[in-house]
Amino acid sequence: MEKDKRKKIILICSDGGHLAQTLHLKKMFLKYNYLLVTEKTPATASLEETYNTFFLAARSKGQGRGISFYLVALYNAFLSLKILLTHYPKVIISTGSHTAIPMCFLGKLLGIKVVFILSYARVKSRAKSADLMYKIADKFIIQWPDEALNYKKGIYLGGIY
């Protein structure tokens, strides 16, 4: 069995729009030994047919940030640590949101580079998960120039779409 010598990366995001933006990076991430990590939902179930995918638990929809939100986050933190120790990437790339935070923080503690891409939907406003990631990201990429007012070390590269 031949060992894959390409650089290892992890792409992590919640489902929905964050996942759609991550999948727009396909031309880039297919060049690497990648692992796509997202929430297990009916909409994401077919991803493993096309991509090297690992699923985390999805938060309850419409539940806000009650106890179940934090229990799922804790459970996903344990899964994230297992993934990091198994795949051990050089870089974690995330488009957010809540699902990505535990893995990115754990990765940072393990010395893994973190790249955060602020959502395309954020044109002039802040995001809670982005505010947390801003503090630890090695590269913080914004998709709109006006976001530089909110995130001074943000790197404007234009939109993913």
Side-chain angles (χ1 to χ4, degrees):
M1 184 181 339
E2 188 176 315
K3 186 177 179 192
D4 190 342
K5 296 186 188 229
R6 296 175 296 165
K7 184 186 287 188
K8 290 183 177 183
I9 65 170
I10 288 179
L11 300 111
I12 183 165
C13 59
S14 54
D15 66 344
H18 296 281
L19 176 60
Q21 288 181 61
T22 298
L23 293 177
H24 275 285
L25 299 172
K26 179 179 176 177
K27 284 184 181 178
M28 179 275 302
F29 72 71
L30 289 178
K31 296 175 185 176
Y32 296 91
N33 179 351
Y34 74 92
L35 179 62
L36 176 62
V37 180
T38 191
E39 299 168 300
K40 179 77 167 187
T41 66
T44 62
S46 66
L47 285 174
E48 60 191 348
E49 295 170 14
T50 308
Y51 302 102
N52 183 23
T53 308
F54 187 94
F55 293 109
L56 297 174
R59 71 177 171 141
S60 302
K61 300 294 181 191
Q63 296 293 324
R65 290 205 164 77
I67 188 76
S68 67
F69 175 86
Y70 294 103
L71 290 174
V72 168
L74 183 61
Y75 176 71
N76 284 342
F78 284 110
L79 288 176
S80 293
L81 183 58
K82 179 182 174 186
I83 294 165
L84 288 170
L85 295 175
T86 302
H87 191 71
Y88 214 90
K90 292 281 186 189
V91 179
I92 299 170
I93 300 169
S94 180
T95 56
S97 171
H98 59 280
T99 302
I101 292 171
M103 180 176 284
C104 291
F105 271 85
L106 289 166
K108 192 69 177 175
L109 289 173
L110 292 170
I112 299 167
K113 300 280 187 206
V114 175
V115 175
F116 186 81
I117 303 169
L118 185 63
S119 173
Y120 190 74
R122 296 291 172 178
V123 178
K124 293 183 180 183
S125 63
R126 300 181 75 89
K128 289 179 185 175
S129 63
D131 288 347
L132 291 170
M133 297 305 300
Y134 185 71
K135 296 173 184 171
I136 67 157
D138 294 285
K139 297 225 184 283
F140 191 93
I141 298 169
I142 57 176
Q143 298 186 63
W144 294 98
D146 286 348
E147 278 299 344
L149 298 172
N150 291 319
Y151 301 104
K152 304 253 185 267
K153 73 173 185 178
I155 301 164
Y156 173 65
L157 297 178
I160 291 173
Y161 293 105

